[in-house]
C-alpha cells in the first residue's frame, strides 16, 4: 500500500504509451465537442454545465425570479424593455414566393431555405391577417381558417380548392394558391388578379355596411388586410416581371389609399423599385419622409441613404488622394452616412463586398441582425454595383465605424447599444447551412483554450513516449518519484516511531 514508488517501477513502456495515447484521444474528443458546441450555440458546454448544475450544488446562489409589480432598478427594466423591442422579429417586406421561388431552390439544390421557426411565424401572420371571428358565418372562410393552420403544404392547397368549390370568390383561397401552388411568377400573378377581383368585391360590401358591432369591425379589418396584401404582391409580381414603372405606380397608389398601414413597410418595396429605375431624386424624396428620427429605422433606409451620398463622390474617390489632401465636405457626409448605416447593421458590408456568400432571404427578419443583412443585400447588391466606386468607398471606410463604438453592447453612437439577442434569433430564422454572422465577435471561452492545450500536451507526450519509450519511462519514474518523496519521507518517520508489530499489520492491508 505504501511502497508506491516500487509499484511504478513494475510498469512497462507499453503502459505509458497506452496511457498518453488514451489521454490524448479523450482530450481531443472533448476539444472537438467544445468547439462544435461553441460554434452552434455561442457558449462553452463545460462552462454552461458548471454554472447551471454544479454551482447550485456547491452553494451558489441562483437568481430568484422577479416579483411581479416590484422593481428594484427602473433603469435595468427600461434596458430590458428596449432589448425586447429591438429583438422583435418583423415580416420581410420583400419576402419571396414559396412556390415560385423557395420551392424551385429546393428542387435544384435539395436544401430547405426556410426554417420551421420562420414558416411557423408566417402561419401565425396568415391567421392574423386573413381570419376573424366571423369566419364561421361563411363555409369557405371556415375551411380557409383551418387551411392556414395546416403544416402540410399539400393539405393547405387541397383546402384552398375546397374553399373555392364552396365560394368561387374566396380571395384568401386564391392568395394561398398564388403563394404556394404557383411555380412561376406569371402563374402567381394570375391567382393574385383573381384574388384582387374577389377581394375588392368583398371589401366594398364591408364598407357599405353600417358598423354595428365589434364583429363587423373585425370583418372589415380582415377584408382590408386581404386587399392590401394582394395589391402589394401584385406590385411585387410586376417588379419581378420587369414592369417596374407599373410596380412603382401600384405601390404609390397603395400607400395613398392606406396611409395608416405604414407598419407594413411598403416604402421599402418602393425604394427598391425606384433604385432599379435609377430614379434617385424620387428615392431621396421617399427617404426624406421615412428617414425620420421619430420613425423606426431599417437597413434599407440607412444603407440607401448612404448609397445616395456615396453616389455624389464615389466615381472620383481615391484613398491615396484623400489621405494627401483630406476629405471634402461631400466625402465626409458620405463617410458619416456609411458609418451610420454600419452602426445600425454591421453585418451588411460583408455581403455587399462579397466577403460572405448570400442565400435566399428568410420570410422574417430581425432588425440589425444577420437575417436583415441577408435580405437587404439579396435585393440591393445590384444597386451598389451599378454606381461606380460605391463599393470601393464602402470597402475603404466601413471598418472605421468600429473605432467609434469600441463597446457596442454597452453604448452606441447614433443608435441604441447593439442588442445581444440577435445571434440566437438569427440562428432560428436562417437555415443551418448558412454561417451566421456574429457581432461583436465573441472571444473563445477559457475551456476551449484549456482543452486545446491539454490535447496538444498529451498528444506530444504520446508521440515522445512512442518514439523514446525507455527514456520517457525513466523520466516518468523520476517525476513521480520526486512527487512522492515527501510522502515516503513522512511514512519513514511514522515507521520509526510506530511499533514494528503495528507497522507490519498496516503494510499487510
Amino acid at each position: 500500500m505504501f511502497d508506491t514508488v516500487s509499484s511504478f517501477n513494475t510498469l512497462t513502456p507499453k503502459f505509458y504509451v497506452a496511457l498518453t495515447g488514451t489521454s490524448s484521444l479523450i482530450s481531443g474528443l472533448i476539444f472537438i465537442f467544445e468547439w462544435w458546441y461553441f460554434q452552434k450555440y455561442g457558449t462553452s458546454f463545460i462552462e454552461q454545465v458548471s454554472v447551471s448544475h454544479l454551482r447550485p450544488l456547491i452553494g451558489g446562489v441562483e437568481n430568484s425570479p422577479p416579483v411581479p409589480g416590484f422593481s428594484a432598478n427602473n433603469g435595468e427594466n427600461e434596458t430590458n424593455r428596449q432589448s425586447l423591442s429591438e429583438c422583435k422579429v418583423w415580416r420581410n417586406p420583400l419576402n419571396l414566393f414559396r412556390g415560385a421561388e423557395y420551392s424551385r431552390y429546393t428542387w435544384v439544390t435539395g436544401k430547405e431555405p426556410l426554417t420551421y421557426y420562420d414558416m411557423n411565424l408566417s402561419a401565425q401572420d396568415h391567421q392574423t391577417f386573413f381570419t376573424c371571428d366571423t369566419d364561421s358565418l361563411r363555409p369557405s372562410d371556415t375551411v380557409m381558417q383551418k387551411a392556414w393552420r395546416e403544416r402540410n403544404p399539400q393539405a393547405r392547397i387541397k383546402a384552398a380548392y375546397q374553399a373555392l368549390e364552396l365560394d368561387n370568390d374566396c380571395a384568401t383561397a386564391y392568395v394561398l394558391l398564388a403563394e404556394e401552388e404557383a411555380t412561376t411568377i406569371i402563374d402567381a400573378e394570375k391567382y393574385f388578379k383573381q384574388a384582387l377581383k374577389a377581394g375588392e368585391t368583398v371589401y366594398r360590401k364591408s364598407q357599405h355596411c353600417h358598423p354595428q358591432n365589434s364583429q363587423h369591425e373585425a370583418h372589415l379589418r380582415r377584408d382590408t388586410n386581404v386587399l392590401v396584401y394582394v395589391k402589394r404582391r401584385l406590385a411585387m409580381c410586376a417588379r419581378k416581371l420587369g414592369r417596374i414603372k407599373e410596380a412603382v405606380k401600384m405601390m404609390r397608389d397603395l400607400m395613398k389609399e392606406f396611409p395608416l398601414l405604414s407598419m407594413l413597410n411598403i416604402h421599402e418595396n418602393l425604394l427598391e423599385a425606384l433604385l432599379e429605375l435609377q430614379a434617385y431624386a424620387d428615392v431621396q424624396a421617399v427617404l426624406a419622409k421615412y428617414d425620420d428620427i421619430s420613425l423606426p429605422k431599417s437597413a434599407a433606409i440607412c444603407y440607401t441613404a448612404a448609397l445616395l451620398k456615396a453616389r455624389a463622390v464615389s466615381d472620383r474617390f481615391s484613398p491615396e488622394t484623400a489621405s494627401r489632401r483630406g476629405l471634402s465636405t461631400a466625402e465626409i457626409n458620405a463617410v458619416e452616412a456609411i458609418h451610420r448605416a454600419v452602426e445600425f447593421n454591421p453585418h451588411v458590408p460583408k455581403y455587399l463586398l462579397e466577403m460572405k456568400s448570400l442565400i435566399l432571404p428568410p420570410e422574417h427578419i430581425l432588425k440589425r441582425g444577420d437575417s436583415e443583412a441577408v435580405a437587404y443585400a439579396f435585393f440591393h447588391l445590384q444597386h451598389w454595383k451599378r454606381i461606380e466606386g460605391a463599393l470601393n468607398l464602402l470597402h475603404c471606410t466601413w471598418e472605421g465605424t468600429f473605432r467609434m463604438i469600441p463597446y457596442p453592447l454597452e453604448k452606441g453612437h447614433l443608435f441604441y447599444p447593439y442588442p445581444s439577442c440577435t445571434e440566437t434569433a438569427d440562428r432560428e430564422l436562417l437555415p443551418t447551412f448558412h454561417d451566421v454572422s456574429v457581432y461583436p465577435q465573441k472571444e473563445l471561452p477559457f475551456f476551449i483554450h484549456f482543452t486545446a492545450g491539454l490535447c496538444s500536451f498529451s498528444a506530444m507526450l504520446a508521440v515522445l513516449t512512442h518514439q523514446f519509450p525507455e527514456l520517457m519511462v525513466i523520466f516518468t519514474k523520476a517525476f513521480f518519484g520526486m512527487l512522492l518523496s515527501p510522502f515516503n519521507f513522512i511514512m519513514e518517520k511514522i515507521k520509526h516511531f510506530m511499533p514494528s508489530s503495528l507497522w507490519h499489520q498496516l503494510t499487510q492491508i
Side-chain angles (χ1 to χ4, degrees), residues 8-23:
F8 280 107
N9 292 331
T10 62
L11 300 177
T12 63
K14 290 183 179 179
F15 169 80
Y16 292 104
V17 173
L19 178 65
T20 53
T22 304
S23 62

Side-chain angles (χ1 to χ4, degrees), residues 88-155:
K88 176 184 176 182
V89 175
W90 299 74
R91 189 160 181 84
N92 183 2
L94 287 84
N95 67 303
L96 304 178
F97 294 86
R98 282 207 191 167
E101 292 172 306
Y102 288 120
S103 294
R104 290 171 70 88
Y105 176 84
T106 304
W107 298 337
V108 174
T109 64
K111 297 179 180 178
E112 289 291 343
L114 298 175
T115 64
Y116 174 79
Y117 175 69
D118 193 14
M119 291 188 289
N120 187 51
L121 289 175
S122 296
Q124 295 176 21
D125 291 340
H126 295 152
Q127 292 176 56
T128 303
F129 292 159
F130 305 143
T131 64
C132 65
D133 296 336
T134 62
D135 285 345
S136 58
L137 301 178
R138 292 193 298 185
S140 59
D141 289 340
T142 304
V143 172
M144 288 307 301
Q145 191 175 52
K146 296 178 181 178
W148 296 120
R149 292 198 295 265
E150 283 285 352
R151 292 187 179 182
N152 189 331
Q154 295 304 319

Side-chain angles (χ1 to χ4, degrees), residues 179-250:
E179 292 287 351
E180 303 199 23
E181 191 191 42
T183 56
T184 65
I185 301 299
I186 294 176
D187 293 339
E189 186 179 38
K190 290 178 181 177
Y191 279 124
F192 276 123
K193 285 181 177 178
Q194 291 176 289
L196 178 63
K197 182 179 178 181
E200 285 181 331
T201 302
V202 175
Y203 178 70
R204 282 194 295 268
K205 290 180 180 178
S206 299
Q207 277 187 314
H208 293 154
C209 292
H210 296 289
Q212 298 174 354
N213 50 43
S214 60
Q215 287 186 343
H216 175 267
E217 293 178 0
H219 192 81
L220 177 61
R221 184 165 56 250
R222 192 275 305 273
D223 293 339
T224 304
N225 290 339
V226 172
L227 187 62
V228 171
Y229 185 91
V230 169
K231 287 187 174 183
R232 179 182 192 164
R233 292 305 254 178
L234 276 172
M236 294 174 69
C237 287
R239 163 67 183 93
K240 292 174 185 290
L241 294 173
R243 306 195 308 270
I244 305 172
K245 290 184 178 180
E246 178 186 341
V248 168
K249 183 180 183 305
M250 294 172 69

